[in-house]
Amino acid sequence: MSLMSRRARVTQAAIRQAIRAAQQTGAGLVRILPDGSICIDPSPPAEERLGRGELASKWDDVNPPRRRFGERLAERANTNSDDPLALAFARWERGEIKMDQLPPGRYPNGMRVYADGEWEAIVRAKPLRKREIASLKAYFDADGAPNFCSGGIDTNERLEIRGLTEKSSIPQKDRMPFYRITAAGKDEWRRQAAAQIEA
Protein backbone atom coordinates (compact mmCIF):
# COMPACT_ATOMS: atom_id res chain seq x y z
CA MET A 1 0.00 0.00 0.00
CA SER A 2 1.45 3.33 -0.99
CA LEU A 3 0.44 6.77 0.08
CA MET A 4 -0.18 9.30 -2.63
CA SER A 5 -0.24 13.01 -2.14
CA ARG A 6 -2.11 15.21 -4.52
CA ARG A 7 -1.69 18.95 -4.93
CA ALA A 8 -4.91 20.82 -4.21
CA ARG A 9 -6.37 23.05 -6.88
CA VAL A 10 -6.45 26.70 -5.93
CA THR A 11 -9.19 28.53 -7.76
CA GLN A 12 -9.70 32.22 -8.28
CA ALA A 13 -12.71 32.08 -6.00
CA ALA A 14 -10.55 30.69 -3.18
CA ILE A 15 -7.99 33.47 -3.70
CA ARG A 16 -10.73 36.09 -3.60
CA GLN A 17 -12.11 34.60 -0.41
CA ALA A 18 -8.64 34.64 1.17
CA ILE A 19 -8.14 38.29 0.25
CA ARG A 20 -11.58 39.24 1.64
CA ALA A 21 -10.88 37.34 4.84
CA ALA A 22 -7.54 39.06 5.24
CA GLN A 23 -9.11 42.48 4.67
CA GLN A 24 -11.82 41.79 7.24
CA THR A 25 -9.35 40.71 9.91
CA GLY A 26 -6.93 43.55 9.11
CA ALA A 27 -4.12 41.11 8.32
CA GLY A 28 -0.91 42.35 6.75
CA LEU A 29 0.01 39.26 4.69
CA VAL A 30 -1.84 36.42 2.94
CA ARG A 31 0.04 33.38 1.55
CA ILE A 32 -1.39 30.51 -0.46
CA LEU A 33 0.85 27.45 -0.26
CA PRO A 34 1.18 24.83 -3.03
CA ASP A 35 -0.79 22.29 -1.01
CA GLY A 36 -3.78 24.65 -1.01
CA SER A 37 -3.55 25.85 2.56
CA ILE A 38 -3.98 29.56 3.21
CA CYS A 39 -1.80 31.33 5.78
CA ILE A 40 -2.97 34.70 7.10
CA ASP A 41 -0.50 36.82 9.07
CA PRO A 42 -2.50 38.65 11.75
CA SER A 43 0.08 41.43 12.18
CA PRO A 44 -1.16 44.87 11.08
CA PRO A 45 -0.05 46.38 7.76
CA ALA A 46 3.31 48.15 7.50
CA GLU A 47 1.93 51.68 7.67
CA GLU A 48 0.27 50.98 11.05
CA ARG A 49 3.51 49.54 12.46
CA LEU A 50 5.44 52.53 11.18
CA GLY A 51 2.90 54.81 12.85
CA ARG A 52 3.72 53.23 16.22
CA GLY A 53 7.43 53.88 15.71
CA GLU A 54 8.43 50.31 14.79
CA LEU A 55 10.76 49.51 11.90
CA ALA A 56 9.29 48.00 8.77
CA SER A 57 10.95 45.07 7.06
CA LYS A 58 12.35 45.32 3.53
CA TRP A 59 9.29 43.50 2.17
CA ASP A 60 6.73 45.94 3.52
CA ASP A 61 6.99 48.42 0.65
CA VAL A 62 7.16 46.01 -2.28
CA ASN A 63 4.49 48.01 -4.10
CA PRO A 64 4.86 51.67 -3.09
CA PRO A 65 1.89 53.93 -3.87
CA ARG A 66 2.00 55.21 -7.45
CA ARG A 67 1.49 58.81 -8.39
CA ARG A 68 -1.40 59.65 -10.63
CA PHE A 69 -0.80 60.92 -14.17
CA GLY A 70 0.06 64.60 -14.16
CA GLU A 71 1.30 64.80 -10.55
CA ARG A 72 4.95 64.69 -11.66
CA LEU A 73 4.32 67.48 -14.17
CA ALA A 74 2.55 69.57 -11.54
CA GLU A 75 5.48 69.07 -9.15
CA ARG A 76 7.93 70.29 -11.80
CA ALA A 77 5.81 73.35 -12.51
CA ASN A 78 5.55 74.20 -8.81
CA THR A 79 9.28 73.87 -8.09
CA ASN A 80 10.29 76.79 -10.37
CA SER A 81 7.12 78.85 -10.44
CA ASP A 82 9.16 82.09 -10.83
CA ASP A 83 11.11 80.96 -13.90
CA PRO A 84 9.21 81.78 -17.13
CA LEU A 85 11.14 79.12 -19.07
CA ALA A 86 10.18 76.43 -16.54
CA LEU A 87 6.54 77.53 -16.76
CA ALA A 88 6.65 77.43 -20.56
CA PHE A 89 8.22 73.96 -20.49
CA ALA A 90 5.51 72.73 -18.10
CA ARG A 91 2.86 74.10 -20.49
CA TRP A 92 4.54 72.24 -23.37
CA GLU A 93 4.60 68.97 -21.36
CA ARG A 94 0.88 69.33 -20.69
CA GLY A 95 0.27 69.86 -24.42
CA GLU A 96 -0.91 73.45 -24.13
CA ILE A 97 1.72 74.80 -26.54
CA LYS A 98 3.79 73.31 -29.36
CA MET A 99 7.57 72.90 -29.47
CA ASP A 100 8.03 75.82 -31.87
CA GLN A 101 6.14 78.08 -29.43
CA LEU A 102 8.70 77.63 -26.63
CA PRO A 103 10.57 80.88 -25.93
CA PRO A 104 14.31 80.86 -26.66
CA GLY A 105 16.72 80.25 -23.79
CA ARG A 106 18.40 77.56 -21.67
CA TYR A 107 15.85 75.53 -19.71
CA PRO A 108 16.36 74.08 -16.19
CA ASN A 109 16.52 70.52 -17.57
CA GLY A 110 19.47 71.43 -19.85
CA MET A 111 17.47 71.82 -23.07
CA ARG A 112 18.21 74.92 -25.14
CA VAL A 113 15.93 76.66 -27.61
CA TYR A 114 17.67 79.02 -30.03
CA ALA A 115 16.22 82.24 -31.38
CA ASP A 116 15.94 82.65 -35.17
CA GLY A 117 19.44 82.78 -36.65
CA GLU A 118 21.20 82.30 -33.30
CA TRP A 119 22.40 78.74 -33.95
CA GLU A 120 23.60 79.64 -37.44
CA ALA A 121 25.63 82.55 -36.05
CA ILE A 122 27.22 80.24 -33.43
CA VAL A 123 28.17 77.71 -36.14
CA ARG A 124 29.76 80.35 -38.38
CA ALA A 125 31.75 81.82 -35.47
CA LYS A 126 33.43 78.49 -34.63
CA PRO A 127 36.23 76.81 -36.61
CA LEU A 128 35.56 73.68 -38.67
CA ARG A 129 35.38 70.45 -36.70
CA LYS A 130 37.07 67.17 -37.62
CA ARG A 131 33.90 65.63 -39.06
CA GLU A 132 33.18 68.73 -41.10
CA ILE A 133 36.72 68.69 -42.54
CA ALA A 134 36.43 64.97 -43.38
CA SER A 135 33.05 65.49 -45.10
CA LEU A 136 34.35 68.55 -46.94
CA LYS A 137 37.25 66.46 -48.30
CA ALA A 138 34.79 63.77 -49.43
CA TYR A 139 32.68 66.39 -51.23
CA PHE A 140 35.82 67.86 -52.84
CA ASP A 141 36.93 64.42 -54.06
CA ALA A 142 33.42 63.62 -55.36
CA ASP A 143 32.94 66.96 -57.12
CA GLY A 144 30.52 66.44 -59.99
CA ALA A 145 29.26 63.07 -58.77
CA PRO A 146 25.44 62.94 -58.73
CA ASN A 147 23.50 61.86 -55.64
CA PHE A 148 26.39 62.13 -53.18
CA CYS A 149 26.18 62.54 -49.43
CA SER A 150 28.89 62.29 -46.78
CA GLY A 151 28.51 62.65 -43.03
CA GLY A 152 25.53 62.91 -40.75
CA ILE A 153 22.63 65.33 -40.71
CA ASP A 154 24.25 67.71 -38.23
CA THR A 155 27.56 67.81 -40.14
CA ASN A 156 25.82 68.52 -43.45
CA GLU A 157 23.67 71.24 -41.91
CA ARG A 158 26.78 72.92 -40.51
CA LEU A 159 28.59 72.79 -43.86
CA GLU A 160 25.52 74.21 -45.62
CA ILE A 161 25.17 77.02 -43.04
CA ARG A 162 28.83 77.93 -43.60
CA GLY A 163 28.15 78.07 -47.36
CA LEU A 164 30.64 75.28 -48.13
CA THR A 165 28.05 72.85 -49.55
CA GLU A 166 24.57 73.11 -51.02
CA LYS A 167 21.73 70.71 -51.68
CA SER A 168 21.98 69.10 -55.10
CA SER A 169 18.50 67.53 -55.01
CA ILE A 170 15.15 68.04 -53.34
CA PRO A 171 14.86 65.23 -50.78
CA GLN A 172 11.91 62.88 -50.71
CA LYS A 173 9.84 62.67 -47.57
CA ASP A 174 11.81 61.20 -44.61
CA ARG A 175 14.99 61.03 -46.76
CA MET A 176 18.29 62.81 -46.37
CA PRO A 177 19.14 65.22 -49.22
CA PHE A 178 22.19 64.95 -51.47
CA TYR A 179 24.82 67.69 -51.42
CA ARG A 180 27.56 69.12 -53.64
CA ILE A 181 30.52 71.33 -52.80
CA THR A 182 30.39 75.06 -53.59
CA ALA A 183 33.19 77.30 -54.85
CA ALA A 184 33.67 78.59 -51.30
CA GLY A 185 33.87 74.98 -50.13
CA LYS A 186 36.60 74.19 -52.67
CA ASP A 187 38.61 77.20 -51.55
CA GLU A 188 38.16 76.22 -47.88
CA TRP A 189 39.28 72.65 -48.56
CA ARG A 190 42.40 73.84 -50.40
CA ARG A 191 43.20 76.06 -47.41
CA GLN A 192 42.66 73.14 -44.98
CA ALA A 193 44.83 70.83 -47.11
CA ALA A 194 47.63 73.40 -47.26
CA ALA A 195 47.47 73.83 -43.49
CA GLN A 196 47.73 70.05 -43.01
CA ILE A 197 50.81 69.88 -45.29
CA GLU A 198 52.53 72.71 -43.38
CA ALA A 199 51.83 71.02 -40.05
Side-chain angles (χ1 to χ4, degrees):
M1 214 170 155
S2 64
L3 294 173
M4 291 177 42
S5 62
R6 187 169 50 142
R7 201 177 270 191
R9 289 182 56 196
V10 180
T11 62
Q12 287 181 349
I15 293 172
R16 279 195 296 266
Q17 288 174 351
I19 292 170
R20 278 196 216 109
Q23 289 172 344
Q24 289 172 356
T25 60
L29 180 67
V30 177
R31 290 182 298 186
I32 301 172
L33 302 177
D35 65 353
S37 59
I38 298 171
C39 299
I40 299 174
D41 184 1
S43 61
E47 52 272 7
E48 292 181 17
R49 292 202 308 276
L50 287 171
R52 292 201 300 259
E54 298 176 19
L55 293 175
S57 71
K58 65 180 181 179
W59 303 107
D60 288 336
D61 294 326
V62 173
N63 295 319
R66 302 184 83 189
R67 290 183 289 186
R68 287 178 296 188
F69 180 75
E71 287 181 2
R72 178 173 53 89
L73 303 180
E75 287 173 10
R76 278 192 198 170
N78 292 334
T79 53
N80 294 324
S81 57
D82 302 345
D83 187 4
L85 294 178
L87 292 172
F89 189 77
R91 288 184 61 207
W92 173 76
E93 282 186 316
R94 290 191 298 268
E96 296 173 6
I97 59 174
K98 295 181 179 178
M99 178 67 87
D100 57 356
Q101 294 174 319
L102 286 172
R106 189 175 296 277
Y107 286 78
N109 64 353
M111 182 180 81
R112 182 165 179 185
V113 175
Y114 294 99
D116 289 338
E118 183 182 3
W119 184 69
E120 290 83 354
I122 291 171
V123 169
R124 289 187 195 105
K126 292 183 178 179
L128 285 172
R129 298 178 174 182
K130 288 181 181 180
R131 290 181 183 173
E132 292 174 83
I133 294 171
S135 288
L136 189 62
K137 179 188 183 310
Y139 284 118
F140 184 83
D141 293 341
D143 187 23
N147 302 335
F148 186 77
C149 185
S150 174
I153 296 171
D154 184 54
T155 302
N156 282 305
E157 283 182 1
R158 288 172 180 274
L159 289 173
E160 188 178 16
I161 286 168
R162 294 176 191 274
L164 304 178
T165 61
E166 62 186 4
K167 289 185 178 79
S168 61
S169 66
I170 298 171
Q172 298 175 359
K173 185 180 178 182
D174 300 329
R175 296 288 181 137
M176 193 168 162
F178 296 113
Y179 293 88
R180 66 175 162 247
I181 194 165
T182 60
K186 291 176 186 177
D187 294 340
E188 178 62 27
W189 169 246
R190 289 186 190 106
R191 195 181 69 73
Q192 291 287 335
Q196 290 176 2
I197 291 170
E198 290 174 7

